[in-house]
Amino acid sequence: AEYMGELAASAATVAELEATLARAHAEYESAVAELSALHEQREKEAVLLDRLRVAFQTSEAKLAEVRTERDAAQLLQAETEAELATARRNVESLRESVATLVKQLSELDQQRREESLRSWQPSADAKECSACHEAFTLLRRKHHCRMCGNVFCDPCSSQRAETPYSPKLQRCCDACIILLANSRATKVRAPNVTLE
């Protein structure tokens, strides 16, 4: 009877151990499943991390490209603005030149019309000086007065003055010099050694 009791106790212990072993096995299987799930999750996270790393590198490359394009655009803008400023200065200079040319053309046209109204004595018709009436020779040369248009010798037309036909000092006869001096403030220069 004592043996049977020990046998029954041993059987109960074995059953308890088997139950404990079953629980341990179940926990082991659960731990393995969890470890497998964690490993799978880690692999997914590693793949996602690689994708993120590639995307980041791609974004950095695109950002560098955009910065390069931006720098090139800024340089082009600066060059364009400089060229535009130069072009504006050139246009302004051209406008001033055109205005000057228009003024000169207007003055020349006015001078041409005024000169066309003057009675310009032909040199071939002049045999003597219109002032002193001395005959012209190889030494006594003919000179037109730029004011009245008549022909004079050098002594009678040696002075220079501004006329209504030109702001430059021009040869004028003595009579026209007096008229110009009396009519307005006129620049008059003494006889010039240069013969015309």
Side-chain angles (χ1 to χ4, degrees), residues 127-136 140 151-153 156:
K127 305 301 180 184
E128 61 182 26
C129 174
S130 298
C132 66
H133 302 290
E134 291 287 339
F136 293 117
R140 186 180 296 274
V151 180
F152 299 87
C153 64
C156 294

Side-chain angles (χ1 to χ4, degrees), residues 5-191:
E6 290 177 0
L7 183 61
S10 296
T13 302
V14 169
E16 185 179 350
L17 289 173
E18 287 179 349
T20 301
L21 182 61
R23 287 195 300 271
H25 183 73
E27 291 176 358
Y28 171 77
E29 292 293 335
S30 177
V32 169
E34 289 180 3
L35 183 61
S36 178
L38 288 174
H39 181 70
E40 184 178 353
Q41 181 66 27
R42 184 177 179 182
E43 288 181 348
K44 290 181 180 178
E45 290 176 352
V47 171
L48 180 60
L49 182 61
D50 289 339
R51 290 179 181 175
L52 289 174
R53 186 180 294 110
V54 171
F56 178 74
Q57 292 174 350
T58 303
S59 298
E60 279 191 331
K62 289 183 178 179
L63 180 60
E65 184 179 352
V66 169
R67 285 174 177 169
T68 301
E69 292 177 354
R70 181 202 61 189
D71 293 341
Q74 289 177 346
L75 179 61
L76 179 61
Q77 180 182 3
E79 292 176 350
T80 302
E81 288 178 352
E83 291 176 357
L84 181 60
T86 301
R88 285 174 177 168
R89 288 193 297 269
N90 291 339
V91 168
E92 188 62 27
S93 178
L94 286 174
R95 284 178 180 172
E96 294 176 357
S97 298
V98 169
T100 302
L101 288 174
V102 168
K103 182 179 179 181
Q104 291 176 350
L105 287 174
S106 177
E107 292 174 352
L108 287 174
D109 184 60
Q110 181 67 21
Q111 180 180 350
R112 181 187 57 79
R113 283 179 299 182
E114 290 176 350
E115 287 180 350
S116 66
L117 298 176
R118 274 190 293 181
S119 176
W120 198 259
Q121 182 182 4
S123 296
D125 295 346
K127 305 301 180 184
E128 61 182 26
C129 174
S130 298
C132 66
H133 302 290
E134 291 287 339
F136 293 117
T137 64
L138 291 176
L139 299 178
R140 186 180 296 274
R141 298 180 59 192
K142 301 176 182 181
H143 302 279
H144 276 94
C145 171
R146 299 311 195 266
M147 180 66 185
C148 64
N150 293 326
V151 180
F152 299 87
C153 64
D154 182 66
C156 294
S157 60
S158 59
Q159 298 190 77
R160 304 290 190 276
E162 291 181 356
T163 69
Y165 312 112
S166 174
K168 296 180 180 180
L169 294 175
Q170 295 186 318
R171 179 186 291 270
C172 293
C173 67
D174 294 341
C176 288
I177 287 291
I178 296 173
L179 290 174
L180 289 170
N182 290 335
S183 63
R184 59 186 174 87
T186 305
K187 293 181 180 179
V188 179
R189 194 174 68 182

